[in-house]
Short mmCIF file of all heavy atoms in Angstrom, two decimals:
data_model
loop_
_atom_site.label_atom_id
_atom_site.label_comp_id
_atom_site.label_asym_id
_atom_site.label_seq_id
_atom_site.Cartn_x
_atom_site.Cartn_y
_atom_site.Cartn_z
N ILE P 94 -16.74 15.90 17.44
CA ILE P 94 -17.86 15.78 16.49
C ILE P 94 -17.33 15.77 15.06
O ILE P 94 -17.73 14.95 14.24
CB ILE P 94 -18.89 16.91 16.70
CG1 ILE P 94 -19.56 16.74 18.06
CG2 ILE P 94 -19.92 16.93 15.57
CD1 ILE P 94 -20.42 17.91 18.48
N SER P 97 -15.73 12.56 14.22
CA SER P 97 -16.69 11.46 14.21
C SER P 97 -17.53 11.39 12.94
O SER P 97 -18.20 10.39 12.69
CB SER P 97 -17.63 11.57 15.41
OG SER P 97 -16.90 11.47 16.60
N PHE P 101 -20.20 7.78 10.30
CA PHE P 101 -21.55 7.61 9.80
C PHE P 101 -21.62 7.37 8.29
O PHE P 101 -22.70 7.18 7.74
CB PHE P 101 -22.40 8.83 10.18
CG PHE P 101 -22.49 9.01 11.67
CD1 PHE P 101 -21.73 9.98 12.31
CD2 PHE P 101 -23.30 8.19 12.44
CE1 PHE P 101 -21.79 10.13 13.69
CE2 PHE P 101 -23.37 8.33 13.81
CZ PHE P 101 -22.61 9.30 14.44
N PHE P 119 -2.74 5.30 -5.04
CA PHE P 119 -1.60 4.43 -4.72
C PHE P 119 -1.26 3.42 -5.81
O PHE P 119 -0.39 2.59 -5.62
CB PHE P 119 -1.86 3.70 -3.41
CG PHE P 119 -2.24 4.60 -2.28
CD1 PHE P 119 -3.55 4.68 -1.84
CD2 PHE P 119 -1.29 5.41 -1.68
CE1 PHE P 119 -3.91 5.53 -0.80
CE2 PHE P 119 -1.64 6.26 -0.65
CZ PHE P 119 -2.95 6.33 -0.21
N SER P 120 -1.98 3.46 -6.91
CA SER P 120 -1.78 2.52 -8.03
C SER P 120 -1.91 1.07 -7.57
O SER P 120 -1.23 0.19 -8.10
CB SER P 120 -0.42 2.74 -8.68
OG SER P 120 -0.30 4.05 -9.13
N ASN P 140 -9.99 1.28 8.21
CA ASN P 140 -9.36 -0.03 8.20
C ASN P 140 -10.23 -0.97 7.36
O ASN P 140 -11.44 -1.07 7.57
CB ASN P 140 -9.23 -0.58 9.62
CG ASN P 140 -8.25 0.22 10.44
OD1 ASN P 140 -7.15 0.51 9.99
ND2 ASN P 140 -8.63 0.59 11.65
N SER P 150 -0.42 -5.34 -13.18
CA SER P 150 -0.67 -4.85 -14.54
C SER P 150 -2.17 -4.53 -14.62
O SER P 150 -2.86 -4.49 -13.62
CB SER P 150 -0.28 -5.91 -15.57
OG SER P 150 -1.05 -7.08 -15.39
N SER P 158 -3.40 -11.60 -0.88
CA SER P 158 -4.42 -11.19 0.08
C SER P 158 -3.75 -10.42 1.21
O SER P 158 -2.56 -10.58 1.47
CB SER P 158 -5.16 -12.41 0.62
OG SER P 158 -4.23 -13.28 1.25
N ASP P 178 -10.26 11.71 1.17
CA ASP P 178 -9.01 11.42 0.49
C ASP P 178 -8.09 10.71 1.48
O ASP P 178 -8.35 10.70 2.68
CB ASP P 178 -8.37 12.72 0.00
CG ASP P 178 -7.30 12.49 -1.05
OD1 ASP P 178 -7.21 11.36 -1.57
OD2 ASP P 178 -6.56 13.42 -1.35
N PHE P 179 -7.03 10.10 0.97
CA PHE P 179 -6.09 9.38 1.81
C PHE P 179 -4.70 9.91 1.58
O PHE P 179 -4.34 10.25 0.45
CB PHE P 179 -6.13 7.89 1.48
CG PHE P 179 -7.52 7.33 1.39
CD1 PHE P 179 -8.01 6.83 0.20
CD2 PHE P 179 -8.34 7.32 2.50
CE1 PHE P 179 -9.29 6.31 0.11
CE2 PHE P 179 -9.63 6.81 2.43
CZ PHE P 179 -10.10 6.31 1.23
N LEU P 184 -0.37 -1.87 4.32
CA LEU P 184 -0.89 -3.22 4.18
C LEU P 184 -0.21 -4.10 5.22
O LEU P 184 1.02 -4.25 5.20
CB LEU P 184 -0.61 -3.76 2.77
CG LEU P 184 -1.35 -3.06 1.64
CD1 LEU P 184 -0.60 -1.84 1.18
CD2 LEU P 184 -1.57 -4.00 0.49
N ILE P 189 1.70 -12.12 -0.97
CA ILE P 189 1.65 -11.80 -2.39
C ILE P 189 2.41 -12.87 -3.16
O ILE P 189 3.54 -13.20 -2.83
CB ILE P 189 2.26 -10.41 -2.66
CG1 ILE P 189 1.52 -9.34 -1.86
CG2 ILE P 189 2.23 -10.08 -4.14
CD1 ILE P 189 2.18 -7.98 -1.86
N SER P 194 5.93 -14.15 -14.88
CA SER P 194 5.41 -13.23 -15.90
C SER P 194 5.02 -11.88 -15.32
O SER P 194 4.86 -10.90 -16.06
CB SER P 194 4.19 -13.86 -16.60
OG SER P 194 3.18 -14.15 -15.66
N ILE P 219 6.35 -12.10 0.33
CA ILE P 219 6.25 -12.06 -1.12
C ILE P 219 6.88 -13.34 -1.65
O ILE P 219 8.05 -13.62 -1.40
CB ILE P 219 6.96 -10.82 -1.71
CG1 ILE P 219 6.35 -9.54 -1.15
CG2 ILE P 219 6.87 -10.83 -3.24
CD1 ILE P 219 7.09 -8.27 -1.55
N ASN P 223 7.22 -19.74 -10.41
CA ASN P 223 7.38 -20.06 -11.83
C ASN P 223 6.58 -21.32 -12.10
O ASN P 223 6.86 -22.37 -11.53
CB ASN P 223 8.85 -20.26 -12.19
CG ASN P 223 9.06 -20.46 -13.68
OD1 ASN P 223 8.21 -20.07 -14.48
ND2 ASN P 223 10.17 -21.05 -14.04
N LYS P 226 5.33 -23.16 -9.07
CA LYS P 226 6.31 -23.65 -8.10
C LYS P 226 7.05 -22.47 -7.48
O LYS P 226 7.43 -21.52 -8.16
CB LYS P 226 7.30 -24.61 -8.77
CG LYS P 226 6.66 -25.89 -9.23
CD LYS P 226 7.66 -26.83 -9.81
CE LYS P 226 6.96 -28.12 -10.27
NZ LYS P 226 7.89 -29.05 -10.89
N VAL P 233 8.92 -9.74 4.55
CA VAL P 233 8.97 -8.28 4.63
C VAL P 233 8.61 -7.83 6.04
O VAL P 233 7.49 -8.04 6.49
CB VAL P 233 7.97 -7.64 3.62
CG1 VAL P 233 7.99 -6.13 3.73
CG2 VAL P 233 8.25 -8.10 2.22
N ASP P 242 8.01 14.86 -4.85
CA ASP P 242 8.63 15.86 -5.73
C ASP P 242 9.39 15.15 -6.84
O ASP P 242 8.80 14.49 -7.66
CB ASP P 242 9.52 16.81 -4.93
CG ASP P 242 8.72 17.59 -3.89
OD1 ASP P 242 7.56 17.93 -4.18
OD2 ASP P 242 9.24 17.84 -2.80
N VAL P 253 15.82 -12.26 3.12
CA VAL P 253 15.94 -12.87 1.81
C VAL P 253 16.90 -14.04 1.96
O VAL P 253 18.01 -13.87 2.46
CB VAL P 253 16.46 -11.85 0.76
CG1 VAL P 253 16.62 -12.52 -0.59
CG2 VAL P 253 15.56 -10.64 0.67
N PHE P 254 16.50 -15.24 1.54
CA PHE P 254 17.30 -16.45 1.71
C PHE P 254 17.75 -16.62 3.17
O PHE P 254 18.90 -16.93 3.46
CB PHE P 254 18.52 -16.46 0.79
CG PHE P 254 18.17 -16.34 -0.67
CD1 PHE P 254 18.57 -15.24 -1.40
CD2 PHE P 254 17.42 -17.32 -1.30
CE1 PHE P 254 18.25 -15.11 -2.73
CE2 PHE P 254 17.09 -17.20 -2.64
CZ PHE P 254 17.50 -16.10 -3.36
N ASN P 264 16.30 7.58 -5.96
CA ASN P 264 16.59 7.99 -7.33
C ASN P 264 16.01 9.37 -7.59
O ASN P 264 14.82 9.58 -7.40
CB ASN P 264 16.00 6.98 -8.32
CG ASN P 264 16.38 7.26 -9.75
OD1 ASN P 264 17.37 7.91 -10.00
ND2 ASN P 264 15.60 6.76 -10.67
N ASN P 266 14.63 11.88 -10.04
CA ASN P 266 14.01 11.74 -11.35
C ASN P 266 14.57 12.73 -12.38
O ASN P 266 14.21 12.68 -13.53
CB ASN P 266 12.49 11.90 -11.24
CG ASN P 266 11.88 10.79 -10.41
OD1 ASN P 266 12.35 9.66 -10.45
ND2 ASN P 266 10.85 11.11 -9.66
N LYS P 269 18.51 10.62 -12.99
CA LYS P 269 18.38 9.17 -13.18
C LYS P 269 19.57 8.37 -12.68
O LYS P 269 19.84 7.29 -13.15
CB LYS P 269 18.09 8.84 -14.65
CG LYS P 269 16.85 9.47 -15.21
CD LYS P 269 15.61 8.90 -14.58
CE LYS P 269 14.36 9.52 -15.19
NZ LYS P 269 13.17 9.24 -14.49
N PRO P 271 20.70 6.53 -9.52
CA PRO P 271 20.19 6.13 -8.21
C PRO P 271 21.28 6.01 -7.13
O PRO P 271 22.43 5.73 -7.44
CB PRO P 271 19.57 4.75 -8.48
CG PRO P 271 20.27 4.25 -9.66
CD PRO P 271 20.68 5.45 -10.48
N ILE P 272 20.86 6.23 -5.90
CA ILE P 272 21.70 5.96 -4.73
C ILE P 272 21.17 4.64 -4.18
O ILE P 272 19.98 4.50 -3.92
CB ILE P 272 21.56 7.07 -3.68
CG1 ILE P 272 22.04 8.40 -4.26
CG2 ILE P 272 22.32 6.71 -2.41
CD1 ILE P 272 21.73 9.59 -3.39
N PHE P 273 22.05 3.67 -3.98
CA PHE P 273 21.62 2.32 -3.62
C PHE P 273 22.48 1.85 -2.45
O PHE P 273 23.69 1.74 -2.57
CB PHE P 273 21.81 1.43 -4.85
CG PHE P 273 21.08 0.14 -4.82
CD1 PHE P 273 19.75 0.06 -4.48
CD2 PHE P 273 21.73 -1.04 -5.17
CE1 PHE P 273 19.08 -1.13 -4.49
CE2 PHE P 273 21.08 -2.25 -5.19
CZ PHE P 273 19.74 -2.30 -4.84
#
Side-chain angles (χ1 to χ4, degrees):
I94 293 170
S97 298
F101 299 103
F119 307 105
S120 302
N140 292 313
S150 61
S158 59
D178 197 12
F179 312 116
L184 294 86
I189 302 170
S194 59
I219 301 173
N223 186 21
K226 293 183 180 178
V233 179
D242 298 325
V253 178
F254 302 116
N264 186 22
N266 295 326
K269 301 292 182 192
I272 298 170
F273 197 47

